[in-house]
Amino acid sequence: MPGQVWGLAAEGSGDPVFVISYNGRDLDGTVLTAVDPTGRVLWQRTFEGHPRPPRVTPVGTVWLAHRAPTGQAFTEVSRDGQVVRSVVPEHEAHEHLGAFVLLPDGFCVIWLPASPRHHIPPGATARVARHSQTGATDWSTSLPLSELSFPGVVEAGVHTDWQLRPKKPWRPRTIQVDYREPLLVSAHRTLVGIGDGRSGIGVCAILDTDTGRIITTTAPGPYVHKAIAGPGAFLIGQQGYGAFTTVYYDSEGHRGQTWPSHGMLLVDHRGVISGAESENILPSRSRFRVLNSDGSLTDGPPLSGYYTSYPALDADGTAVLWRDGKLLAISPDLQARTLFAQDDDRAVMSRILLLDDGHVLFSLKDELLIFRDSGLASLDSGPWPCGDGNPHGNPALTWTRPAPK
């Protein structure tokens, strides 16, 4: 690819696969590349602005975010590389795009009051907005992040005589979206994650997708991986400052089961939750585990190394992931086998993309790797069978609501 890859997605059959990357050494340039499942480059288009993951529509077009003369823009590109249309959603000139997903009738967007590395104006905070297909604002909701306090955070300095002590509540000077899964839409509920750019402490909010009303807000914490668990339901994980948990939230925003584990989770068509643990400890203590409905864990194989691609789950219950220089397949009975291995310590990697014909694709830094004849089935039909929830790379899943009785 022209530069470091920031995301890949496909309509499902895998022709073409859309890859977003830097434009070489230009860290403020985006290249959209279309490739076929053999790796042949079909076309490329260049845009201004920092790369963001592509969002593919059910008809095979792709949306990407980029900078335009009139502000932040979303552009739809056809399968053959032609621009279909561009939309500039309503926003203030100083606002910075945090994350976006496609909805059937428009977009859901997190707007930040400044770029993640710049101090925010006093009293400013992030907001989440729903925009129509023309960019008009349907609703906009300010996100709560006025004051933070978390028991695992400590401070030391002249004011503490250089002694460690619990940090008192503080106001963030910078705001950013969560590095992992900052914006998920599940039917009539939307999950948003924002935080303090310096400490990594933040909050998650669950909103009504139709009105923008806040249903619930979590306590401050080091939130990392999240997933859609069903219609209006989510899994929210914490890792860091001594926290290592995953909590289920139902469609009313109520906390449910809690597990003493955190990681890149998969939810299959039966509702079974499993995945690769993600913990900032070396040597690795992480395993592939199953999160049981009673709060217990079932241990799978240990995972050596550290950096991990977000796995994908096939319809037969086999998970595939890249870790420590190996492409691993983990069977439903939690037995691991190596599909491919090479001495490769590249730490920047994409999610696993599992296509209908068993093709496995992912990127390492600026290289796209394609594996054929993997022996895997097509992607599982559950609510979260891979990173971003689907091949489209668009973590917005819809269900038909039951008719009123």
Side-chain angles (χ1 to χ4, degrees), residues 327-362:
L327 186 66
L328 301 174
I330 301 176
S331 65
D333 60 356
L334 301 179
Q335 299 300 307
R337 59 189 175 95
T338 300
L339 302 180
F340 176 82
Q342 69 179 23
D343 186 10
D344 196 323
D345 61 355
R346 286 176 288 182
V348 180
M349 57 191 67
S350 72
R351 67 186 180 125
I352 293 286
L353 187 61
L354 177 60
L355 302 182
D356 291 346
D357 52 7
H359 278 49
V360 176
L361 295 87
F362 65 98

Side-chain angles (χ1 to χ4, degrees), residues 67-144:
R67 191 173 63 248
T70 53
Q72 182 65 54
F74 302 138
T75 292
E76 184 181 16
V77 181
S78 67
R79 296 166 63 94
D80 58 3
Q82 301 303 307
V83 171
V84 178
R85 55 178 167 152
S86 290
V87 175
V88 177
E90 293 178 344
H91 64 284
E92 299 295 329
H94 68 274
E95 287 187 307
H96 182 85
L97 176 68
F100 85 101
V101 298
L102 297 180
L103 299 177
D105 56 355
F107 314 88
C108 189
V109 182
I110 301 176
W111 295 106
L112 301 176
S115 69
R117 293 174 295 277
H118 289 76
H119 288 180
I120 60 175
T125 188
R127 66 185 180 95
V128 60
R130 181 166 179 171
H131 299 280
S132 69
Q133 293 180 342
T134 65
T137 301
D138 293 333
W139 54 255
S140 176
T141 302
S142 295
L143 297 173

Side-chain angles (χ1 to χ4, degrees), residues 11-347:
E11 185 274 326
S13 61
D15 189 10
V17 174
F18 299 105
V19 185
I20 287 281
S21 69
Y22 279 129
N23 188 10
R25 295 187 177 182
D26 180 7
L27 302 185
D28 197 35
T30 293
V31 178
L32 174 64
T33 301
V35 302
D36 68 17
T38 70
R40 181 171 62 97
V41 174
L42 302 176
W43 51 261
Q44 291 181 326
R45 293 193 67 98
T46 303
F47 299 84
E48 292 187 3
H50 187 285
R52 296 180 183 279
R55 310 301 194 195
V56 176
T57 69
V59 298
T61 61
V62 58
W63 285 88
L64 72 156
H66 64 94
R67 191 173 63 248
T70 53
Q72 182 65 54
F74 302 138
T75 292
E76 184 181 16
V77 181
S78 67
R79 296 166 63 94
D80 58 3
Q82 301 303 307
V83 171
V84 178
R85 55 178 167 152
S86 290
V87 175
V88 177
E90 293 178 344
H91 64 284
E92 299 295 329
H94 68 274
E95 287 187 307
H96 182 85
L97 176 68
F100 85 101
V101 298
L102 297 180
L103 299 177
D105 56 355
F107 314 88
C108 189
V109 182
I110 301 176
W111 295 106
L112 301 176
S115 69
R117 293 174 295 277
H118 289 76
H119 288 180
I120 60 175
T125 188
R127 66 185 180 95
V128 60
R130 181 166 179 171
H131 299 280
S132 69
Q133 293 180 342
T134 65
T137 301
D138 293 333
W139 54 255
S140 176
T141 302
S142 295
L143 297 173
L145 197 67
S146 58
E147 191 173 80
L148 294 176
S149 177
F150 183 72
V153 182
V154 296
E155 60 181 344
V158 175
H159 61 294
T160 69
D161 292 327
W162 298 103
Q163 300 298 311
L164 287 175
R165 72 178 186 189
K167 185 174 177 60
K168 296 179 180 179
W170 75 96
R171 293 183 181 276
R173 300 177 65 185
T174 62
I175 294 179
Q176 64 185 28
V177 297
D178 287 351
Y179 181 65
R180 302 287 190 175
E181 299 90 40
L183 181 61
L184 307 179
V185 177
S186 175
H188 60 298
R189 294 291 182 256
T190 296
L191 174 63
V192 182
I194 58 171
D196 173 28
R198 299 183 66 184
S199 67
I201 302 299
V203 298
C204 293
I206 297 176
L207 298 86
D208 186 288
T209 304
D210 298 325
T211 66
R213 178 176 62 91
I214 293 178
I215 304 300
T216 192
T217 302
T218 65
Y223 296 103
V224 191
H225 283 294
K226 311 166 196 72
I228 294 173
F234 303 96
L235 299 168
I236 302 178
Q238 293 189 61
Q239 198 280 134
Y241 298 104
F244 194 67
T245 61
T246 296
V247 179
Y248 174 87
Y249 283 80
D250 68 17
S251 61
E252 298 305 313
H254 299 144
R255 287 172 59 104
Q257 191 58 261
T258 299
W259 295 268
S261 180
H262 163 268
M264 303 176 181
L265 297 178
L266 304 167
V267 185
D268 73 8
H269 61 281
R270 299 171 299 163
V272 175
I273 304 168
S274 63
E277 284 186 320
S278 178
E279 186 177 20
N280 287 338
I281 290 179
L282 287 174
S284 173
R285 302 186 307 190
S286 296
R287 290 178 173 269
F288 193 93
R289 297 187 193 269
V290 176
L291 280 60
N292 300 311
S293 59
D294 63 357
S296 64
L297 304 174
T298 300
D299 293 349
L303 301 173
S304 62
Y306 180 80
Y307 296 102
T308 311
S309 67
Y310 206 115
L313 186 70
D314 80 357
D316 294 333
T318 297
V320 58
L321 67 148
W322 175 266
R323 181 168 172 130
D324 198 20
K326 301 180 184 69
L327 186 66
L328 301 174
I330 301 176
S331 65
D333 60 356
L334 301 179
Q335 299 300 307
R337 59 189 175 95
T338 300
L339 302 180
F340 176 82
Q342 69 179 23
D343 186 10
D344 196 323
D345 61 355
R346 286 176 288 182

